[in-house]
């Protein structure tokens, strides 16, 4: 069993592409610290609404990643581009198709 | 860009494990018809609530999969185990880490 997260963030009008570019920047670093899946999506009926699908070895691996300098820099850079509306669904990930462990 | 879906279904009390077993049954068939990701999760604070993270080549591939005999059989078998509460978030999947195309 793994730790999963659906993380919702909302870009200010016109800023979704820049936010997505920032989210895409540190994928190798995340992979090195226990991230199995980090898929970036736009909500189909509201393209400023971005959902990140995450799966981690554990919630502790996820927490630790938030202290990486490159992750903190990305958060600081993205924050002014966001409305401040956040939501998340915390998950126990059981497996399935396409999850490469 | 791909078609993504967060699909929520809620198991009747005590039935989550059986529902998850059914959802896990046809992964090879889904892969053959354009499914890239089909990850099964339980909501961390409500284990009867199951979220399926799906990514497909297109929404048409997803629609077509619902007509597969084995998928229809699985839906029919799972339905009596569910409360009838469903929800979904439809997504444009942009890419990221761990999505094997």
């Amino acid at each position: 069993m793994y730790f999963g997260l659906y993380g919702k963030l909302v870009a200010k009008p016109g800023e979704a592409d820049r936010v997505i570019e920032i989210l895409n920047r540190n994928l190798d670093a995340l992979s090195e610290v226990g991230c199995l899946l980090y898929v970036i999506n736009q909500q189909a009926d509201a393209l400023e609404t971005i959902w990140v699908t995450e799966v981690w070895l554990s919630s502790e691996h996820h927490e630790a990643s938030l202290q990486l300098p490159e992750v903190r820099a990305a958060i600081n850079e993205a924050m002014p581009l966001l409305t401040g509306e956040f939501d998340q669904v915390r998950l126990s990930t059981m497996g399935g198709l396409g999850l490469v462990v």
Side-chain angles (χ1 to χ4, degrees), chain A:
Chain A
M1 194 190 322
Y2 302 103
F3 172 67
L5 195 64
Y6 296 158
K8 173 183 171 179
L9 44 165
V10 181
K12 290 179 181 171
E15 302 290 12
D17 287 351
R18 280 179 68 195
V19 173
I20 290 169
E21 184 272 314
I22 294 168
L23 291 170
N24 262 307
R25 206 178 282 166
N26 294 314
L27 301 179
D28 288 345
L30 299 184
S31 175
E32 285 169 17
V33 295
C35 186
L36 305 176
L37 198 69
Y38 193 93
V39 174
I40 298 154
N41 312 270
Q42 289 174 280
Q43 188 170 307
D45 64 359
L47 295 179
E48 312 295 1
T49 298
I50 297 165
W51 289 91
V52 183
T53 308
E54 304 183 40
V55 176
W56 293 81
L57 290 175
S58 72
S59 63
E60 290 75 19
H61 285 82
H62 173 251
E63 282 297 322
S65 77
L66 299 175
Q67 302 308 320
L68 291 176
E70 56 268 55
V71 170
R72 295 172 64 98
I75 291 170
N76 287 337
E77 187 175 340
M79 209 54 91
L81 308 175
L82 302 174
T83 64
E85 180 189 345
F86 298 99
D87 199 4
Q88 63 170 222
V89 183
R90 295 172 74 87
L91 302 164
S92 294
T93 297
M94 312 304 289
L97 169 70
L99 187 65
V100 179
V101 178

